[in-house]
Amino acid sequence: SSPLSSKKAASFLGLLGRLSPNMAGGIGILIASLFFVSLGIGGHFFVKRSNFEDKGLLSMMVVMTCICLYMFFMCTFLCQLNPLVGPEIEYKEFQFKRS
């Protein structure tokens, strides 16, 4: 890899480090969305160019699989982004860790 590409990667990672915590979740959602959309579109065109008999059925299966995986990812990611229940610490443990 050239030094120019490593500088770009370092600046991109530096930019991600300077973002607010609220914006970091949006970047994860954006990256995952782009990944699953490209996977679905790529799989659709891969099936259309193949020699299978049921191209329509296989294309629908690939696209529906990508949609289901995306929905599963979003449910998992959003539950971890803003948890309803946080860790509970007892007062004795807090005093021990504090001193």
Side-chain angles (χ1 to χ4, degrees):
S1 70
S2 68
L4 182 62
S5 63
S6 62
K7 286 182 183 179
K8 286 183 182 179
S11 67
F12 179 70
L13 292 175
L15 175 68
L16 288 179
R18 284 181 272 162
L19 294 174
S20 69
N22 294 336
M23 198 169 180
I27 290 177
I29 291 171
L30 178 69
I31 290 171
S33 299
L34 292 174
F35 173 75
F36 283 113
V37 166
S38 64
L39 191 67
I41 292 173
H44 170 73
F45 286 115
F46 177 75
V47 170
K48 288 295 180 185
R49 291 182 181 212
S50 65
N51 293 328
F52 297 118
E53 290 180 18
D54 295 328
K55 291 181 185 180
L57 178 64
L58 289 174
S59 177
M60 183 201 58
M61 288 172 54
V62 168
V63 171
M64 290 301 294
T65 301
C66 290
I67 290 171
C68 291
L69 287 172
Y70 178 71
M71 288 174 53
F72 180 74
F73 169 79
M74 289 301 292
C75 289
T76 306
F77 185 79
L78 291 175
C79 286
Q80 292 178 5
L81 189 63
N82 190 14
L84 295 175
V85 179
E88 297 178 10
I89 187 167
E90 294 182 14
Y91 184 73
K92 292 177 185 177
E93 293 176 19
F94 178 71
Q95 289 295 327
F96 177 73
K97 292 179 181 180
R98 189 172 161 192
S99 57

